[in-house]
Amino acid sequence: MKLSALHQSYLNRRRSPLDSSVDAPSKSFLAVFWLVLHCLCCLISLLLGFRFSRLVFFFLVSTPSSSNLYSPPFRPDLPPPRIDLTPSNATTAEAKTSSSRVVVGRHGILIRPWPHPDPVEVMKAHRIIERVQREQKAVFGAGAKGSRTVIAVTPTYVRTFQALHLNGVMHSLMLVPYDVVWIVVEAGGVSNETASIVGKSGVRVIHVGFDQRMPNTWEDRGKVEVLMRLRALRVVKEEKLDGVVMFADDSNMHSMEFFDEIQNVKWFGAVSVGILAHSGNAEEMVMSMDKRREMEEEESSSLSSLPVQGPACNATDKLIGWHVFNTLPYAGKSAVYIDDVAAVLPQKLEWCGFVLNSRILWDEAESKPEWVKEFGLLNENEGVESPLSLLNDPSMVEPLGSCGRQVLLWWLRVEARADSKFPPGWVIDPPLEITVAAKRTPWPDVPPEPPTKKKDQMSLSQGNNNVVVIPKHQQQQQQRSSKVRKPKRRSKRNKHEAKPTDTATQVSSSTKHHQERN
Amino acid sequence: MSNRLSLSAILLFLFFSASSAQHNVRTERISGSAGDVLEDNPVGKLKVYVYELPSKYNKKLLQKDPRCLTHMFAAEIFMHRFLLSSPVRTLNPDEADWFYSPIYPTCDLTPTGLPLPFKSPRMMRSAIQLISSNWPYWNKTEGADHFFVVPHDFGACFHYQEEKAIERGILPLLQRATLVQTFGQRNHVCLDQGSITIPPFAPPQKMHAHLIPPDVPRSIFVYFRGLFYDVNNDPEGGYYARGARAAVWENFKNNPLFDISTDHPTTYYEDMQRSIFCLCPLGWAPWSPRLVEAVVFGCIPVIIADDIVLPFADAIPWEEIGVFVAEKDVPEVDTILTSIPTEVILRKQRLLANPSMKQAMLFPQPAQPGDAFHQILNGLARKLPHDASVYLKAGEKVLNWTAGPVGDLKPW
């Protein structure tokens, strides 16, 4: 319908200048010309995808000042002619104040030439987000209620499993949302091994050396650990560190709720610790469990059958005693030496289950309660077994974790053999001598060489669970070496040459030594 | 004795200052003449008389369609209920400062829930005729000390299409009355000088049921859920939202910082609480409940609506709380937002966290101190005392009772 109106207007327009010279042939010529023009416009519209004729009409009809079009790049649609009225109203000065500057009607959709994110702005936005989140944390999160520093005391010494244990404790401490001071006491003096591990933590570390070497039996080790912890507490006293002292033995595992819970301690608190008495022998574990069940049926339930050490409360949530790990099932079968394949049992009361306010250890007795012994006067040689020795009155201990019902950390002792070796800093230097077959087919090119001289070396590696790699030129020192090597593949042809075949890749320090050995 | 009294007074003062200082870390009071007004108590400052209109103007409409209580125009109904039991209500019209007529013009809904404004002018007219003939107070001032709640799209212009609304203009009979409306745009025919802009109704219980702990980190930079193109009413594009929403989509659909889409997620409220900025662009009308939701959930509103007048603009300093972006600057919204200094952003968040700010945007049932009902009364109280010129001499007539389209003159 509209098109016909446009046609009419076109016709009218075209007719007027030509009216003066109208004659019959020009009329028919006009009709043909109009038809051709119309077809052309239709074709162009088909190509462009919008109504081309409207655009032409607009340019012919509209006045130049009427456009409120915001020159959009992709949307050439026109405003309907009615809109031209309002801008003409707004051109007069007083009309501007009474009518809205914001114009009703169709507007162009503004799209910038490159509607994609700008990386600089993205980085700025991420910085804003990070700052907002930090503020949220400070106002609503962990820092809101006046958080206290966590002072972690860890006795450690250099051995194979140290990296395993110490990394675990370190990662837990790094996740703590409060300030952390980590006092690492090392038996045998300060070493680079330990320093390199704890240096990566990012928390404040006080690395203290302890002059004794760690002994070989669990019992003696416990005693030395106590002395090391007391040494750390002396550091707390001397440096006047303020916060909550907890004992993070390096093989323990802590839950994050533990750190939130110990913020509530006033002077001296106790939490429940899960005791994982692991023995290397699975059969033994089963046997001891059966035995334990027998014992439970015989005796009363005074002995706790749960592997938990912690405070025991009565119905009104008052401390009445201690749950202690039941060691009877393991009597006689527990590990004595550090590398025994048997259950490692905890002491009567493990230190890790206790937390204390560092002010207990300070000198001036400002607000210290009277039931706390003076730490400076403690005689270590009297045999301090558990932290309760620091108190005059053990009944004043606060039970934490809903009165010991929540187990917030776990105690575990796992060690390798005492003489096990590991690369210093766990860096393999120089590179290994290992031959690995690159091509694995079910039908090898050559049958693998029967293992003859490799037998004695293989048996060694079975018995112990350690791996030692030392550079080839040290192989002469047999007593210190045990090596794991994969059987090499060689083609029949090159028995005496050490040329690498296409089925084998060799990683070795030098081929010369290779030949030497063969 | 006097020494002890002064000492205790000093101690009390120190105690209160200390406790208030602690409070200021989390939220910030909108201090100064603007913000303090939010906590004003209107009781005692004004008296409102509520006309007894027949129930065909209010209760019957509600009975016909109870959806009127939950849509975004429900403020008119709740204002009536609030005033009936409020201490500012007086039963003696001679001592009243303001007169309220309980009409629900936005309660004529289509089956899909949208209000039809076609009969509202006639309803208003018939109600005013009733008031002027049964009580003498209308004729004393020709309605200058009366107020009406007209929460529809364009207020008392009574149309949903802006062009038609501008054509109609404000209903002639309401020229002198105070209009309490959600629509606000400067230099617009449908906003009278003395009108009070209010927020649209958003259900407070529903919003409070979706609150999440405040320490959940805000990880979305910009958030928006809603239409960008209204294909039903504006298939060619460019009319809806004056092209601003479409511009937002075209410019930022590829931008990971902008979480924008047309979804209707069930976690809409929770997502707003995880966002730093919430876009509040205009739609067919410049106002939207998104502003209320953004304020309640602590998300900084980014208002894209030229010349908009926000709710309680004389009491709330919106420039300090939200970010205003001109419609022509929409393609640069990301540049604008990332160049705001972080200190300014943190301050805006602190102002938004102020509970009196959130309370002023809501219409809770029953009414609570500082809520939107009280802000409306505060606004009315600020317009008192009435200018002497408001009162007309006997027989003087200003309003033209026959003005307006012919269809409006039909009885309702």
Side-chain angles (χ1 to χ4, degrees):
Chain A
M1 278 296 146
K2 275 198 187 149
L3 205 52
S4 59
L6 287 172
H7 280 190
Q8 292 291 336
S9 47
Y10 264 121
L11 281 166
N12 291 337
R13 234 161 273 279
R14 301 240 26 124
R15 256 195 216 134
S16 29
L18 291 171
D19 259 347
S20 51
S21 56
V22 142
D23 46 340
S26 62
K27 258 193 181 162
S28 60
F29 167 71
L30 205 62
V32 169
F33 175 74
W34 169 245
L35 201 61
V36 166
L37 190 68
H38 177 61
C39 289
L40 203 65
C41 285
C42 283
L43 281 172
I44 296 175
S45 305
L46 264 176
L47 282 174
L48 289 177
F50 62 90
R51 285 153 82 181
F52 177 65
S53 53
R54 276 180 119 200
L55 189 65
V56 173
F57 178 59
F58 170 64
F59 280 125
L60 284 174
V61 166
S62 73
T63 60
S65 65
S66 69
S67 176
N68 61 359
L69 204 57
Y70 287 82
S71 57
F74 299 129
R75 294 271 182 157
D77 278 350
L78 332 163
R82 188 153 58 103
I83 302 313
D84 295 22
L85 295 173
T86 39
S88 57
N89 281 342
T91 44
T92 56
E94 60 263 76
K96 236 193 178 108
T97 51
S98 59
S99 71
S100 175
R101 283 184 301 121
V102 182
V103 180
V104 184
R106 182 182 280 125
H107 292 238
I109 299 170
L110 302 174
I111 306 175
R112 65 190 194 197
W114 179 247
H116 292 283
D118 174 29
V120 173
E121 279 167 13
V122 173
M123 274 321 297
K124 276 201 242 176
H126 279 289
R127 266 182 234 124
I128 292 176
I129 294 175
E130 196 246 338
R131 179 71 186 85
V132 166
Q133 289 184 357
R134 224 179 334 135
E135 183 76 15
Q136 272 185 280
K137 215 173 168 192
V139 174
F140 300 110
K145 286 166 291 197
S147 52
R148 295 147 82 182
T149 311
V150 170
I151 303 169
V153 170
T154 302
T156 182
Y157 68 106
V158 178
R159 74 261 195 219
T160 308
F161 276 31
Q162 182 200 32
L164 172 81
H165 296 317
L166 215 52
N167 270 305
V169 174
M170 180 171 80
H171 292 154
S172 300
L173 291 177
M174 281 161 76
L175 280 176
V176 171
Y178 312 103
D179 292 327
V180 172
V181 176
W182 193 13
I183 304 180
V184 180
V185 186
E186 189 172 353
V190 171
S191 75
N192 284 337
E193 278 290 322
T194 317
S196 65
I197 297 176
V198 301
K200 289 180 267 187
S201 63
V203 302
R204 181 179 159 200
V205 177
I206 303 178
H207 193 178
V208 178
F210 190 72
D211 285 333
Q212 251 182 293
R213 286 203 58 173
M214 194 64 95
N216 216 10
T217 60
W218 287 110
E219 202 188 320
D220 293 335
R221 180 173 152 171
K223 296 201 180 97
V224 171
E225 276 184 5
V226 169
L227 294 174
M228 289 160 76
R229 292 191 191 104
L230 291 174
R231 173 80 183 80
L233 293 181
R234 218 170 322 123
V235 168
V236 173
K237 173 171 116 81
E238 277 155 23
E239 308 246 348
K240 280 218 157 42
L241 297 174
D242 191 16
V244 179
V245 178
M246 44 85 63
F247 299 98
D249 294 347
D250 60 1
S251 51
N252 288 358
M253 177 53 66
H254 311 85
S255 70
M256 282 299 118
E257 291 81 14
F258 171 69
F259 297 102
D260 292 330
E261 186 65 26
I262 61 174
Q263 295 281 321
N264 301 330
V265 76
K266 280 197 268 308
W267 289 111
F268 202 100
V271 294
S272 287
V273 183
I275 303 291
L276 306 172
H278 168 76
S279 69
N281 196 342
E283 288 174 18
E284 261 205 33
M285 275 302 291
V286 172
M287 261 182 13
S288 63
M289 263 171 60
D290 286 339
K291 258 211 168 163
R292 210 186 305 168
R293 250 181 258 129
E294 285 173 21
M295 287 178 57
E296 261 183 80
E297 289 160 10
E298 296 171 0
E299 303 177 1
S300 61
S301 55
S302 57
L303 287 168
S304 153
S305 56
L306 296 168
V308 168
Q309 166 202 306
C313 298
N314 65 1
T316 55
D317 282 348
K318 282 194 107 60
L319 183 74
I320 50 168
W322 302 100
H323 286 300
V324 165
F325 185 68
N326 184 9
T327 58
L328 283 180
Y330 300 94
K333 282 189 296 229
S334 69
V336 175
Y337 289 95
I338 290 204
D339 45 9
D340 275 351
V341 181
V344 180
L345 298 180
Q347 310 288 323
K348 209 70 198 290
L349 277 178
E350 280 292 337
W351 282 67
C352 53
F354 295 94
V355 292
L356 44 124
N357 187 344
S358 63
R359 287 179 192 240
I360 284 184
L361 309 162
W362 290 7
D363 263 335
E364 312 96 40
E366 348 163 299
S367 46
K368 250 197 297 200
E370 323 76 46
W371 41 267
V372 171
K373 276 190 201 160
E374 187 65 47
F375 179 69
L377 307 174
L378 195 70
N379 187 354
E380 290 170 5
N381 301 325
E382 276 175 1
V384 176
E385 261 199 15
S386 81
L388 295 179
S389 323
L390 295 172
L391 305 177
N392 284 327
D393 184 6
S395 68
M396 298 299 289
V397 174
E398 307 148 37
L400 298 173
S402 43
C403 214
R405 279 188 279 275
Q406 290 174 329
V407 173
L408 297 171
L409 69 157
W410 296 269
W411 177 95
L412 174 67
R413 289 281 182 264
V414 177
E415 296 295 345
R417 264 176 67 126
D419 62 343
S420 68
K421 303 285 179 287
F422 62 99
W426 287 97
V427 173
I428 301 169
D429 177 34
L432 277 175
E433 184 218 314
I434 283 183
T435 311
V436 177
K439 180 171 118 181
R440 293 161 198 261
T441 56
W443 306 279
D445 287 321
V446 292
E449 205 163 68
T452 46
K453 47 181 165 172
K454 312 287 185 298
K455 258 200 192 131
D456 48 343
Q457 282 170 337
M458 293 288 277
S459 59
L460 248 182
S461 56
Q462 240 175 18
N464 46 358
N465 47 357
N466 55 9
V467 176
V468 162
V469 176
I470 47 175
K472 287 191 68 159
H473 56 264
Q474 283 185 7
Q475 269 181 4
Q476 281 75 32
Q477 307 169 21
Q478 275 298 325
Q479 68 267 28
R480 290 203 47 157
S481 75
S482 79
K483 211 165 185 164
V484 175
R485 286 172 60 210
K486 297 228 168 56
K488 290 197 270 261
R489 282 188 188 214
R490 284 219 200 93
S491 66
K492 260 190 195 142
R493 292 172 277 144
N494 324 344
K495 242 192 196 152
H496 299 286
E497 293 170 20
K499 232 190 327 184
T501 62
D502 56 338
T503 59
T505 57
Q506 284 191 355
V507 179
S508 67
S509 48
S510 62
T511 51
K512 218 177 9 163
H513 286 197
H514 205 69
Q515 265 183 328
E516 241 175 31
R517 287 189 34 104
N518 307 323
Chain B
M1 186 56 189
S2 60
N3 281 348
R4 213 174 286 169
L5 268 175
S6 55
L7 192 65
S8 55
I10 292 171
L11 281 174
L12 263 174
F13 169 70
L14 284 173
F15 170 70
F16 277 123
S17 63
S19 59
S20 67
Q22 218 172 14
H23 189 69
N24 277 346
V25 173
R26 283 201 197 182
T27 70
E28 213 169 292
R29 286 191 67 239
I30 309 167
S31 56
S33 60
D36 289 343
V37 173
L38 278 184
E39 288 156 33
D40 276 353
N41 189 359
V43 176
K45 293 197 190 162
L46 77 165
K47 292 214 175 299
V48 176
Y49 178 73
V50 181
Y51 283 123
E52 289 277 330
L53 289 182
S55 58
K56 69 169 181 172
Y57 293 104
N58 32 60
K59 289 207 189 70
K60 283 231 180 87
L61 294 171
L62 190 55
Q63 272 168 7
K64 241 196 309 176
D65 199 341
R67 283 179 303 180
C68 292
L69 275 175
T70 48
H71 67 179
M72 54 180 155
F73 310 104
E76 51 186 11
I77 303 171
F78 291 123
M79 191 68 191
H80 180 203
R81 292 189 181 175
F82 163 69
L83 282 173
L84 283 178
S85 54
S86 159
V88 302
R89 182 191 184 189
T90 167
L91 298 169
N92 178 6
D94 289 311
E95 62 169 13
D97 299 306
W98 287 100
F99 293 84
Y100 171 68
S101 344
I103 317 170
Y104 304 161
T106 335
C107 202
D108 182 15
L109 304 184
T110 65
T112 53
L114 296 171
L116 288 172
F118 303 122
K119 294 200 195 139
S120 313
R122 288 158 54 193
M123 177 174 18
M124 276 303 216
R125 202 190 154 76
S126 120
I128 294 175
Q129 271 173 341
L130 196 73
I131 292 170
S132 60
S133 46
N134 289 2
W135 287 276
Y137 305 103
W138 177 271
N139 291 328
K140 267 199 209 161
T141 58
E142 293 263 88
D145 54 355
H146 290 58
F147 72 93
F148 297 85
V149 181
V150 281
H152 193 243
D153 287 357
F154 289 98
C157 293
F158 293 119
H159 210 279
Y160 51 80
Q161 261 196 350
E162 191 167 358
E163 292 155 6
K164 297 225 171 63
I166 293 178
E167 251 185 69
R168 298 179 59 99
I170 298 182
L171 196 70
L173 291 177
L174 294 174
Q175 298 277 0
R176 288 169 62 89
T178 295
L179 298 170
V180 178
Q181 59 189 54
T182 51
F183 171 74
Q185 191 174 310
R186 281 189 283 274
N187 301 325
H188 198 277
V189 177
C190 297
L191 180 69
D192 203 11
Q193 277 308 320
S195 302
I196 297 176
T197 32
I198 61 171
F201 177 74
Q205 313 94 311
K206 196 168 160 213
M207 289 200 283
H208 287 149
H210 285 270
L211 284 177
I212 60 176
D215 60 344
V216 171
R218 288 186 186 263
S219 46
I220 304 175
F221 192 60
V222 178
Y223 187 75
F224 176 75
R225 289 288 183 272
L227 291 177
F228 299 103
Y229 295 95
D230 188 353
V231 280
N232 296 326
N233 301 321
D234 176 29
E236 287 165 332
Y239 272 110
Y240 180 54
R242 295 196 274 271
R245 286 195 184 198
V248 167
W249 173 251
E250 299 296 341
N251 281 301
F252 300 112
K253 60 188 175 191
N254 297 317
N255 197 324
L257 295 173
F258 283 68
D259 187 355
I260 56 179
S261 87
T262 51
D263 281 346
H264 281 103
T266 45
T267 53
Y268 175 62
Y269 289 147
E270 286 86 351
D271 290 339
M272 273 190 139
Q273 294 171 75
R274 287 197 303 119
S275 318
I276 301 182
F277 291 104
C278 287
L279 290 183
C280 301
L282 71 161
W284 288 110
W287 57 270
S288 96
R290 271 183 197 87
L291 184 71
V292 177
E293 289 158 359
V295 169
V296 169
F297 294 130
C299 180
I300 301 176
V302 179
I303 297 150
I304 307 174
D306 285 346
D307 281 346
I308 188 174
V309 175
L310 289 173
F312 309 126
D314 52 344
I316 300 176
W318 286 103
E319 287 285 339
E320 294 180 36
I321 294 169
V323 179
F324 287 83
V325 175
E327 286 167 36
K328 64 173 170 52
D329 291 331
V330 164
E332 276 96 46
V333 152
D334 55 348
T335 316
I336 295 172
L337 293 181
T338 51
S339 56
I340 303 178
T342 41
E343 280 317 308
V344 173
I345 294 180
L346 292 175
R347 175 157 190 269
K348 285 185 202 277
Q349 289 192 319
R350 277 196 296 269
L351 285 170
L352 281 169
N354 194 352
S356 61
M357 178 71 209
K358 295 189 209 275
Q359 190 76 304
M361 291 282 113
L362 295 173
F363 292 93
Q365 315 303 320
Q368 286 161 17
D371 64 8
F373 299 117
H374 291 88
Q375 303 306 330
I376 297 173
L377 290 178
N378 282 335
L380 290 169
R382 282 195 286 275
K383 294 181 83 174
L384 292 176
H386 292 296
D387 196 31
S389 63
V390 144
Y391 295 97
L392 304 171
K393 298 192 250 304
E396 190 183 340
K397 285 255 177 279
V398 179
L399 290 181
N400 185 353
W401 284 75
T402 52
V406 179
D408 284 358
L409 300 175
K410 281 194 238 163
W412 183 72

